[in-house]
């Protein structure tokens, strides 16, 4: 199986917002007869199977954190919370195997730095502001 995880510590407004993005291969890699590897797509993983993944991963992750005493046992109730309440997992984004541009766009999004230099501007010598939306877009605020 192949997967990448990208840890993010800040939100778009440079607010503390610990989260990570993960990219997971839909299948497994196995050895071929020539000493290389080939991928085999997972079978039977339709929209119903994808819908179950977030809940199962959330419950298993919270259980593992509690077992390692990194999370209080009573905080495992987060496993039942709905999206947006402190813990969420979204498995809806999918990039087809032959969509190289889509894969690159997804990986660039996941691997982006904590802040974008183009949002940082100097308003006076030694004083800078960070715009919460891209410069030039209507509604930009400092």
């Amino acid at each position: 199986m192949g997967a990448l995880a990208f840890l993010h510590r800040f939100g778009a407004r440079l607010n503390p917002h610990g989260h990570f993005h993960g990219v997971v291969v839909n299948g497994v890699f196995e050895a071929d007869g020539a000493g290389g590897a080939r991928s085999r797509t997972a079978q039977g993983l339709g929209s119903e199977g994808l819908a179950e993944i977030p809940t199962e991963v959330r419950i298993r992750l919270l259980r593992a954190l509690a077992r390692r005493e990194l999370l209080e046992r009573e905080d495992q109730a987060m496993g039942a919370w709905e999206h947006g309440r402190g813990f969420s997992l979204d498995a809806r984004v999918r990039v087809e195997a032959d969509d190289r541009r889509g894969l690159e766009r997804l990986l660039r999004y996941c691997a982006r730095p904590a802040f974008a230099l183009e949002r940082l501007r100097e308003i006076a010598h030694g004083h800078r502001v960070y715009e919460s939306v891209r410069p030039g877009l209507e509604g930009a605020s400092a």
Side-chain angles (χ1 to χ4, degrees):
M1 179 172 198
L4 294 169
F6 302 89
L7 177 63
H8 290 238
R9 296 175 186 230
F10 299 97
R13 295 186 173 133
L14 295 183
N15 56 315
H17 179 67
H19 64 286
F20 71 92
H21 296 265
V23 178
V24 180
V25 175
N26 181 19
V28 295
F29 292 101
E30 59 187 5
D32 65 12
R38 67 174 176 247
S39 63
R40 188 172 53 163
T41 303
Q43 300 298 313
L45 189 58
S47 58
E48 289 180 15
L50 282 175
E52 296 172 10
I53 291 172
T55 301
E56 187 64 29
V57 169
R58 182 184 332 176
I59 290 168
R60 287 181 183 210
L61 179 60
L62 292 171
R63 194 179 302 143
L65 290 171
R67 222 179 11 256
R68 290 172 177 82
E69 298 180 356
L70 298 171
L71 182 70
E72 299 294 327
R73 290 220 179 258
E74 56 270 11
D75 290 336
Q76 287 189 47
M78 285 190 291
W81 290 0
E82 292 298 320
H83 179 75
R85 291 212 150 143
F87 188 102
S88 64
L89 178 68
D90 186 349
R92 293 177 295 178
V93 176
R94 179 184 174 101
V95 177
E96 294 299 325
D98 60 348
D99 184 2
R100 303 311 283 176
R101 294 179 101 195
L103 179 59
E104 181 179 350
R105 188 173 55 250
L106 175 63
L107 291 173
R108 284 182 181 275
Y109 173 79
C110 291
R112 70 193 186 280
F115 61 90
L117 290 177
E118 61 269 14
R119 292 186 186 181
L120 188 64
R121 64 183 174 89
E122 190 170 31
I123 58 173
H125 182 69
H127 297 287
R128 292 174 176 76
V129 294
Y130 188 77
E131 296 177 330
S132 62
V133 296
R134 290 187 186 99
L137 294 180
E138 191 171 324
S141 61

